[in-house]
Amino acid sequence: MLDTEPDLSTRLFSPIDFTRGAIAAVSGGSDSTALLLLLKQHLDRTASSAKLLAVTIDHGLRQGSAAEAQAVAKLCAERGIAHRTLTWSGRKPSTGLPAAAREARYHLLAEAARAEGIGLIVTGHTADDQAETVLMRHARGRERADMAGRGLAGMAPATLYDWREWIVRPLLGMRRSALRDFLRHEHVGWADDPTNIDEAFERPRVRAALAGESAGHMENALRLAGQAAVERRQLGASAADLIHRFASQPCTGLVRLDPAMLTADDGRAAIYALRILLATAGGVAFLPDQARSEALLGRLKAGFLCATLSRTVVDFRRTGLFLRREARGLPPAATAVDNTIWDGRRHITLNDRSGALLIAPLGVTGARRLAIDDGETPASLMRAAMAAEPTLRQALEKPGSPQGGAGSPAFAARPVVSPFSRFLPSFDLAPARAVAELIGASPLPASPLRGHSAD
């Protein structure tokens, strides 16, 4: 029989700091229900004052979802656990529904965490989910080289959402069958979501294929994930070292790379660092294509050039290799909204709420009025970078008026690490932290996992 008290919950949750409480994402399925009960056992024994809130997201996509949420609420009431049901409202997309539902789920969970002053969300993803994720990415990797490398690490033990809330997955080493044994031992039932066996979707197809394979097939997938995770952390650490050694920021929006980085001993790390910096400078959520990045690095090694990749101008001159946002496709003038991301690159915080503020790119004309000279970087490059920065529309129409931006009384625009600003897996903490320090982004919040890193 499964040994459940206290050894299992201690092993699962002891590495996690619950000082600020936890949001437990509970759908009513076996995995999340077991997560909730095991977590409650652990907190009762080790941190009885820690706040625990169970949150159920009703996506409203099928009949029975409301009843399942009510069943979770009933279980929570019986066990003395605070519970809340949140509903995904609005129109649902006709394509990409699983991804949209996942995004909506994390958004609602994060809203609940902020409302409660909790910085930690705990989910019930299991070893079965991990194996499915790895096999799906392995299949996609036949078409995308990057997915065949970094993506094979699967789900990270912890992921930072919106650079604010930590999502922790303590059950990644547990099989679903063991969790169901625990629930039977506790005489607790669970709901079976019919979409989990609907093979119109990719994950249920992979799940069905795994069920028809030997246990060794899943073990191989998990072993592959473990090896890929180690390699991904090592690659990230090497890329972070290169960024620390060879990257600088002459002015906001302009990154300079020492050409020595092009001939670094670790070519894979150099490409990875370049891809992260390109995505950050261009304000895009995904790293540029691996093959195109390798080709760009090869051209840079061959000599000076000016090229564009991932909305980033790559300008290689005698004074260095410079990266900046291209002028094409910048956002038009629009009303500033507090706590939003502008152009994928700048987090906007409004300091003046007395009226609507229009924010627009500074532009070439506005940049010409700036007094820029650091004695080393060509002023033309610095002005080109600053032209892509946000400013108040009134500053463009009335030269000499406050421009806004960082340090402005009207609004602040703080850089973000674009490819990691929404989801930052703990595998990638080292390069994300290095880029954040480089461009002046907000520091990473402390990891809830005890030890030297969130991994």
Side-chain angles (χ1 to χ4, degrees), residues 255-284:
V255 171
R256 179 189 180 275
L257 297 178
D258 188 317
M261 178 174 151
L262 302 177
T263 55
D265 292 337
D266 192 340
R268 290 179 64 245
I271 292 172
Y272 187 34
L274 179 62
R275 294 172 70 202
I276 295 172
L277 292 171
L278 285 168
T280 300
V284 297

Side-chain angles (χ1 to χ4, degrees), residues 36-337:
L36 177 65
L37 299 186
L38 287 165
L39 180 55
K40 180 66 163 62
Q41 286 181 5
H42 178 73
L43 294 180
D44 283 348
R45 190 170 59 253
T46 64
S48 58
S49 62
K51 180 185 290 187
L52 173 60
L53 173 65
V55 174
T56 303
I57 306 301
D58 182 0
H59 294 93
L61 296 175
R62 55 182 177 78
Q63 291 184 344
S65 61
E68 291 166 8
Q70 291 172 359
V72 175
K74 181 174 181 293
L75 174 65
C76 289
E78 294 170 350
R79 301 290 177 126
I81 303 171
H83 176 267
R84 184 178 303 164
T85 297
L86 301 177
T87 303
W88 181 24
S89 57
R91 297 182 61 182
K92 309 301 189 292
S94 57
T95 60
L97 186 59
R102 182 169 57 252
E103 173 62 30
R105 180 164 60 252
Y106 284 130
H107 176 73
L108 291 170
L109 289 169
E111 283 192 337
R114 291 167 196 172
E116 297 291 333
I118 295 174
L120 175 62
I121 299 166
V122 186
T123 68
H125 295 102
T126 65
D128 300 64
D129 297 313
Q130 183 75 301
E132 293 160 9
T133 298
V134 171
L135 292 175
M136 286 190 295
R137 293 182 179 179
H138 186 269
R140 297 173 198 162
R142 295 169 188 155
E143 299 178 359
R144 287 182 54 192
D146 186 46
M147 193 62 75
R150 296 172 60 254
L152 292 183
M155 291 179 283
T159 296
L160 187 62
Y161 178 80
D162 265 356
W163 212 259
R164 292 178 63 175
E165 288 80 29
W166 283 101
I167 301 167
V168 178
R169 306 178 179 93
L171 305 185
L172 284 180
M174 291 289 296
R175 291 295 307 274
R176 180 170 293 121
S177 57
L179 295 171
R180 291 185 172 184
D181 286 343
F182 163 72
L183 291 176
R184 294 185 186 100
H185 181 267
E186 294 288 311
H187 305 291
V188 173
W190 62 86
D192 285 315
D193 184 345
T195 60
N196 286 335
I197 57 173
D198 184 352
E199 296 190 20
F201 299 107
E202 180 185 23
R203 186 174 289 274
R205 290 197 299 271
V206 173
R207 183 169 297 163
L210 265 177
E213 296 284 349
S214 65
H217 193 57
M218 177 170 288
E219 292 174 1
N220 288 338
L222 295 175
R223 190 178 302 110
L224 178 63
Q227 293 170 347
V230 171
E231 293 173 1
R232 182 163 166 178
R233 287 193 297 271
Q234 292 173 341
L235 180 64
S238 298
D241 178 63
L242 293 178
I243 292 168
H244 284 305
R245 288 164 55 197
F246 297 118
S248 60
Q249 182 174 249
C251 71
T252 301
L254 184 65
V255 171
R256 179 189 180 275
L257 297 178
D258 188 317
M261 178 174 151
L262 302 177
T263 55
D265 292 337
D266 192 340
R268 290 179 64 245
I271 292 172
Y272 187 34
L274 179 62
R275 294 172 70 202
I276 295 172
L277 292 171
L278 285 168
T280 300
V284 297
F286 298 100
L287 300 185
D289 177 74
Q290 174 83 12
R292 294 184 66 189
S293 301
E294 292 174 353
L296 174 61
L297 188 65
R299 292 176 61 198
L300 290 169
K301 288 180 179 180
F304 304 133
L305 65 82
C306 188
T308 303
L309 182 59
S310 289
R311 305 200 315 184
T312 296
V313 176
V314 182
D315 198 339
F316 189 10
R317 302 191 179 192
R318 295 186 183 281
T319 50
L321 173 60
F322 297 91
L323 309 179
R324 59 177 172 82
R325 172 70 162 94
E326 68 173 328
R328 183 177 57 180
L330 287 167
T335 302
V337 179

